[in-house]
């Protein structure tokens, strides 16, 4: 069992039209998080769908509908008692808020993995992942509290979630028990909450969704609807989910999908962002982050946010509202998803970015660090790294280790691995006891798999400047 405190080139740039880049960048940078359900709901699903639907009719009801401090269930409704259920129909007891929640000590350096709700809720799978952490340098789990399905993983006491039926696919039956096991094994838990990708919210409360100029709720090219981040009721609902997690002991909240759709222009031209009151998409993202920062004032919690990897290098919002400087200045930690497979051909002057995990991650993070240096009191950078295969080559130990080493080589010592099915490459991780004497890990560098000592350490000029855009654009 481990102690809680466990820790263990320059690129030439070319500028072409922003319009072309935005479309291609968004297409290549569609976060792998969007297809998480395909990986996380396969062999790990164990039972546990849908339920009753209701939301308050207007913002004046916000205090009644959302802002309740997890009331006793006898006071939730005089007319109806809401029962949390698994998909099988089995009733799950409501989450009890402990009088004295567990206190988690933050590791000196966070080195973590994403754990989907199905894996977290399965005793067998969660114990396998805890064992992985005890054998390796892993010290942090990012747990799905609300994913892109809109369902809450546990039997929440938040009234709005109950009224929408967001507690009808419970995946983590015993959240407090899970937290206790993580605490006993020295593992730092982070609560991941997906915001605008929420089909339950948009179907129950369509006025909170992005609207279609032809009428009704706008749907993207995949048939999905999106909550409108301009709507403050959307902010309030998600903050109270976070508040509940803080109350049970989570020391860190991670916001995902704090953005607008990355759809092609022919689809976006029908999108009507009602209630924007003249604010830009970036201002909506900033407004949400300002709101949760204000609400978290005085609470012992770290606030973090996931962003597209390309935001570290592009000086505009990619059409989704994520501007690096605006985000990094409002959170404690920003997590760019610098997956090499998500960069388009020509990025950083590399024809096939997926073949160059070391170079891509290093260039992307170096850009982020340079830009953060110009922001007053910026949050730290903790990248999401790729432990999945998407195209060639197949990712394994050398590719995972290459990304970790690239992070270290630019001075970033924290990271989290993403795999939608929560299945990780142990051979790419440092064992708990360290590597054996004389052993040298292999990394994919310059397109080849070589010992880590063979990489070339570049020296970056201290007076280098950000170009208009620091990714080479497709011609």
């Amino acid at each position: 069992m481990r102690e809680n405190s466990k820790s263990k080139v320059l690129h030439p740039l070319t500028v072409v039209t922003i319009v072309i880049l935005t479309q291609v960048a968004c297409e290549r940078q569609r976060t792998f998080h969007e297809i998480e359900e395909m990986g996380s709901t396969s062999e790990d699903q164990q039972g546990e769908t849908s339920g009753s639907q209701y939301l308050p009719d207007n913002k004046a009801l916000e205090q009644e509908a959302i802002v309740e401090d997890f009331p006793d269930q006898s006071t939730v409704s005089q007319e109806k008692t809401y029962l949390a259920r698994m998909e099988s129909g089995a009733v799950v007891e409501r989450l009890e808020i402990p009088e004295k929640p567990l206190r988690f000590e933050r590791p000196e350096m966070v080195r973590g993995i994403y754990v989907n709700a199905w894996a977290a809720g399965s005793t067998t799978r969660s114990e396998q992942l805890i064992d992985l952490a005890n054998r390796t340098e892993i010290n942090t789990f990012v747990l799905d509290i609300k994913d892109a399905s809109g369902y809450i993983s546990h039997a929440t006491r938040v009234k709005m979630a109950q009224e929408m039926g967001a507690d009808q696919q419970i995946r983590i039956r015993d959240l407090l028990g899970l937290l206790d096991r993580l605490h006993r094994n020295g593992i730092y838990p982070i609560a991941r909450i997906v915001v605008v990708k929420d089909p339950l919210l948009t179907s129950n409360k369509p006025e909170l969704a992005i609207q279609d100029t032809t009428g009704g709720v706008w749907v993207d090219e995949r048939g999905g609807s999106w909550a409108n981040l301009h709507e403050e009721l959307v902010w309030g609902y998600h903050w109270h989910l976070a508040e509940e997690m803080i109350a049970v002991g989570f020391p860190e909240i991670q916001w995902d999908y704090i953005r607008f759709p990355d759809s092609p222009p022919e689809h976006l031209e029908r999108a009507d962002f009602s209630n924007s009151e003249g604010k830009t998409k970036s201002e909506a993202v900033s407004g949400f982050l300002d709101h949760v920062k204000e609400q978290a004032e005085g609470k012992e919690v770290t606030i973090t946010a996931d962003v597209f990897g390309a935001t570290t290098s592009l000086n505009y919002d990619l059409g989704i509202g994520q501007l690096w400087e605006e985000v990094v200045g409002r959170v404690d930690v920003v997590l760019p998803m610098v997956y090499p497979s998500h960069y388009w051909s020509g990025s950083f002057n590399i024809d096939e970015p997926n073949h160059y995990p070391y170079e891509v991650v290093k260039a992307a993070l170096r850009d982020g660090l340079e830009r953060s240096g110009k922001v007053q009191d910026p949050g730290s950078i903790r990248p999401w790294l790729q432990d999945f295969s998407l195209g060639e080559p197949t990712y394994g130990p050398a590719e995972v280790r290459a990304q970790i080493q690239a992070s270290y080589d630019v001075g970033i010592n924290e990271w989290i691995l993403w795999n939608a099915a929560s299945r990780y490459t142990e051979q790419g991780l440092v064992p708990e006891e360290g590597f054996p004497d004389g052993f040298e890990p292999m990394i994919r560098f310059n397109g080849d798999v070589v010992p880590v000592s063979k990489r070339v350490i570049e020296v970056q000029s201290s007076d280098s400047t950000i170009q208009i855009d620091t990714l080479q654009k497709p011609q």
Side-chain angles (χ1 to χ4, degrees):
M1 189 178 301
R2 303 170 308 149
E3 297 296 324
N4 289 359
S5 58
K6 174 190 172 183
S7 62
K8 292 274 171 195
V9 131
L10 290 176
H11 44 283
L13 310 167
T14 305
V15 176
V16 295
T17 65
I18 287 178
V19 173
I20 293 176
L21 170 65
T22 300
Q23 182 175 357
V24 179
C26 288
E27 184 61 31
R28 289 298 299 145
Q29 189 61 28
R30 286 183 189 281
T31 170
F32 199 68
H33 293 52
E34 289 194 336
I35 57 174
E36 65 184 287
E37 294 86 352
M38 294 193 297
S40 64
T41 60
S42 54
E43 58 190 289
D44 293 325
Q45 293 189 11
Q46 305 201 1
E48 309 104 30
T49 329
S50 50
S52 58
Q53 303 175 348
Y54 167 80
L55 279 177
D57 290 331
N58 54 57
K59 290 185 178 180
L61 296 180
E62 180 179 8
Q63 294 301 314
E64 296 178 18
I66 304 176
V67 193
E68 294 201 12
D69 294 329
F70 327 122
D72 182 87
Q73 290 307 292
S74 63
T75 68
V76 168
S77 172
Q78 295 180 354
E79 299 180 359
K80 181 171 182 176
T81 299
Y82 296 96
L83 298 177
R85 298 180 184 274
M86 301 173 69
E87 187 179 24
S88 64
V91 174
V92 179
E93 291 186 8
R94 286 287 169 205
L95 179 70
E96 292 292 336
I97 307 299
E99 291 185 9
K100 294 183 178 181
L102 293 171
R103 295 180 63 87
F104 289 87
E105 182 178 349
R106 186 187 186 282
E108 182 180 353
M109 298 295 173
V110 168
R111 290 161 186 178
I113 56 174
Y114 161 73
V115 180
N116 68 53
W118 300 107
S122 162
T123 301
T124 300
R125 289 285 290 119
S126 61
E127 284 299 321
Q128 290 172 348
L129 292 169
I130 289 171
D131 288 344
L132 172 68
N134 285 330
R135 293 193 304 268
T136 69
E137 61 190 315
I138 296 300
N139 57 30
T140 299
F141 284 4
V142 176
L143 302 172
D144 262 341
I145 296 304
K146 173 176 174 283
D147 63 19
S149 70
Y151 286 104
I152 313 303
S153 299
H154 62 281
T156 179
R157 301 182 76 90
V158 174
K159 184 177 179 182
M160 180 181 281
Q162 295 177 26
E163 294 172 330
M164 287 196 302
D167 59 353
Q168 299 300 296
Q169 279 200 25
I170 301 302
R171 292 129 185 195
I172 305 176
R173 298 189 64 169
D174 184 9
L175 181 60
L176 297 183
L178 174 61
L179 288 175
D180 181 65
R181 287 188 287 133
L182 297 183
H183 189 268
R184 285 187 279 110
N185 285 276
I187 297 173
Y188 182 73
I190 298 174
R192 174 180 179 252
I193 300 177
V194 168
V195 180
V196 298
K197 201 67 179 296
D198 189 335
L200 288 178
L201 180 60
T202 57
S203 62
N204 280 272
K205 191 69 172 176
E207 61 269 36
L208 297 182
I210 297 172
Q211 304 297 301
D212 196 304
T213 55
T214 62
V217 172
W218 177 84
V219 294
D220 62 22
E221 68 280 9
R222 299 176 180 177
S225 56
W226 293 64
N228 186 353
L229 201 57
H230 286 292
E231 294 283 354
E232 293 188 12
L233 268 177
V234 174
W235 303 358
Y237 171 49
H238 289 90
W239 166 250
H240 285 282
L241 293 173
E243 190 175 39
E244 182 178 54
M245 292 302 92
I246 297 169
V248 300
F250 275 92
E252 184 166 322
I253 303 297
Q254 183 186 107
W255 301 108
D256 202 358
Y257 282 88
I258 46 165
R259 64 179 179 87
F260 289 82
D262 53 328
S263 296
E266 60 269 24
H267 291 274
L268 284 174
E269 65 185 12
R270 295 183 290 99
D272 174 18
F273 303 100
S274 303
N275 201 32
S276 66
E277 298 179 349
K279 293 183 174 65
T280 65
K281 294 176 181 177
S282 177
E283 288 172 331
V285 172
S286 296
F288 172 80
L289 293 175
D290 286 340
H291 175 75
V292 297
K293 182 178 182 179
E294 179 182 356
Q295 296 299 314
E297 192 76 32
K299 300 181 185 296
E300 295 184 14
V301 64
T302 298
I303 300 297
T304 73
D306 299 338
V307 296
F308 272 19
T311 61
T312 67
S313 302
L314 299 178
N315 288 346
Y316 57 96
D317 73 352
L318 287 87
I320 63 173
Q322 291 182 348
L323 276 172
W324 182 260
E325 288 79 4
E326 298 301 318
V327 175
V328 76
R330 288 177 163 84
V331 295
D332 299 307
V333 183
V334 63
L335 294 97
M337 296 174 279
V338 290
Y339 310 136
S341 63
H342 284 35
Y343 286 84
W344 57 97
S345 178
S347 300
F348 309 115
N349 267 358
I350 300 173
D351 289 337
E352 297 179 293
N354 202 34
H355 290 253
Y356 295 83
Y358 177 89
E359 291 80 1
V360 168
V361 169
K362 185 176 182 181
L365 294 181
R366 188 169 53 198
D367 283 349
L369 284 169
E370 184 172 2
R371 294 174 70 174
S372 290
K374 301 175 183 179
V375 176
Q376 184 176 3
D377 194 24
S380 62
I381 301 174
R382 181 195 301 157
W384 278 105
L385 303 179
Q386 175 176 336
D387 192 0
F388 59 87
S389 296
L390 188 62
E392 294 295 330
T394 298
Y395 267 44
E399 290 73 24
V400 171
R401 201 70 217 167
Q403 297 172 81
I404 294 173
Q405 189 64 54
S407 302
Y408 295 162
D409 286 350
V410 297
I412 293 175
N413 294 309
E414 296 193 332
W415 43 265
I416 299 177
L417 299 180
W418 174 271
N419 180 286
S422 301
R423 298 191 180 279
Y424 294 95
T425 307
E426 182 170 354
Q427 295 84 353
L429 302 171
V430 177
E432 168 68 15
E433 66 278 9
F435 288 124
D437 290 342
F439 177 84
E440 185 173 5
M442 306 293 282
I443 66 170
R444 183 172 289 277
F445 175 78
N446 197 27
D448 297 319
V449 176
V450 300
V452 66
S453 63
K454 298 296 184 182
R455 71 192 187 283
V456 176
I457 306 298
E458 296 180 7
V459 178
Q460 182 176 359
S461 171
S462 61
D463 60 354
S464 61
T465 59
I466 293 280
Q467 305 287 320
I468 293 178
D469 291 295
T470 63
L471 295 184
Q472 179 167 326
K473 309 306 184 293
Q475 302 297 318

